[in-house]
Amino acid sequence: MEGLAQNLERVREALARAAVRSGRRPEDVTLVAVTKEVQVPRILEAVALGVTDLGENRYQEAREKLGRVPGVRWHFIGHLQRNKVKYVLESFELVHSLDRAALAEEIDRHARRRGRPARVLVQVNLTGDPRRHGVLPGDLPRLLEACALLPGLRVEGLMTIAPPAPTPEGARPYFRRLFELAQEQRQRGLERVSLDHLSMGMSDDFVPAVEEGATMVRLGRALFGERRGGRP
Ligand SMILES: *Cc1c(COP(=O)(O)O)cnc(C)c1O
């Protein structure tokens, strides 16, 4: 318990300082606590310490936790398969990982059936490695155009995962690039594509991410410690 409380305090202070350095208020940056491989009792400890937003990257794993942690907002941050869309929309406030038109259409279909627009971020792959998830920057304009035609979608921002770097500073150019992309695309004024949010920054690189304009950071290890499985 003490470990978690201390980690949280350290993270909140670093977040607040970075927000102020970027000309914003601490409350302008949402801390999304990533709870993959974290058990429910420990998640409840984090919630008792004031954490309001939780992130999971696999529906299968998240499913058993969802109903057991009341009063929080869940964020879906992992690769999303079309056959999980229905369930994800039932429980998650925001999908961070829209990366292709077929998925956008599936989300739109279920959102309209539910009678409630789905809030999404588009994941952008800035690593130069085509095997990674996310739309390539060159394909982003066309994907956003496709999204703008779907009345059940609200594209509220962009998300990225910086490639591993020896120091946090190594990630900064990727965050700067995402900020620029959002600015460029916002100017097009596409319908239902507001792009107010940037989800960027993980345990190793959240300080430069916030300095470069992140409105959401997704932190696992910095709060809960190393994951046993060690998966990313
Ligand atoms: C696991 C994960 C995180 C958190 O990673 P940490 O390095 O533990 O902070 C953030 N975003 C995504 C998409 C993840 O899968």
Side-chain angles (χ1 to χ4, degrees):
M1 181 76 187
E2 200 187 300
L4 180 54
Q6 282 174 347
N7 290 347
L8 194 57
E9 191 176 314
R10 202 177 316 123
V11 161
R12 281 182 174 141
E13 273 174 20
L15 273 180
R17 282 196 301 267
V20 169
R21 279 198 295 279
S22 68
R24 293 175 301 151
R25 297 167 303 175
E27 59 267 33
D28 294 335
V29 184
T30 300
L31 167 61
V32 178
V34 177
T35 52
K36 63 187 179 204
E37 294 187 30
V38 179
Q39 304 301 311
V40 169
R42 204 152 159 74
I43 299 175
L44 292 172
E45 285 177 20
V47 173
L49 291 165
V51 169
T52 54
D53 291 78
L54 304 178
E56 285 278 342
N57 68 337
R58 292 184 185 185
Y59 179 72
Q60 220 47 275
E61 179 185 339
R63 190 165 61 166
E64 56 199 70
K65 302 177 185 175
L66 294 168
R68 297 169 60 198
V69 187
V72 294
R73 286 183 290 265
W74 288 98
H75 298 245
F76 194 83
I77 63 174
H79 184 66
L80 180 53
Q81 292 164 327
R82 278 161 66 185
N83 63 3
K84 300 290 187 329
V85 166
K86 179 173 188 284
Y87 310 107
V88 163
L89 292 189
E90 281 167 9
S91 309
F92 290 80
E93 300 268 330
L94 182 66
V95 172
H96 290 228
S97 47
L98 174 62
D99 60 357
R100 57 204 192 277
L103 179 61
E105 285 162 18
E106 187 73 1
I107 294 175
D108 172 67
R109 200 163 68 80
H110 285 287
R112 283 190 289 137
R113 193 177 289 170
R114 287 165 50 78
R116 195 187 310 167
R119 301 174 55 210
V120 302
L121 309 179
V122 170
Q123 180 173 355
V124 185
N125 175 5
L126 298 172
T127 65
D129 179 351
R131 288 166 304 182
R132 295 197 180 239
H133 292 307
V135 64
L136 296 172
D139 296 330
L140 177 64
R142 200 150 16 106
L143 178 57
L144 292 178
E145 283 161 30
C147 290
L149 299 175
L150 302 172
L153 274 195
R154 298 289 178 273
V155 185
E156 298 192 355
L158 303 180
M159 180 273 235
T160 202
I161 301 175
T167 68
E169 279 306 308
R172 187 182 297 275
Y174 299 93
F175 302 142
R176 193 165 288 176
R177 184 78 191 109
L178 197 72
F179 181 90
E180 291 166 355
L181 278 175
Q183 259 188 333
E184 284 167 26
Q185 296 302 316
R186 212 179 285 130
Q187 280 165 12
R188 302 173 70 200
L190 291 169
E191 195 99 25
R192 296 177 287 267
V193 179
S194 56
L195 302 184
D196 293 325
H197 285 289
L198 292 177
S199 169
M200 55 188 194
M202 303 174 27
S203 290
D204 292 328
D205 56 21
F206 71 91
V207 168
V210 172
E211 288 171 349
E212 297 299 329
T215 65
M216 299 178 187
V217 294
R218 310 176 308 270
L219 305 186
R221 291 169 301 128
L223 300 173
F224 300 107
E226 292 296 326
R227 285 180 288 277
R228 213 164 313 149
R231 79 181 155 78

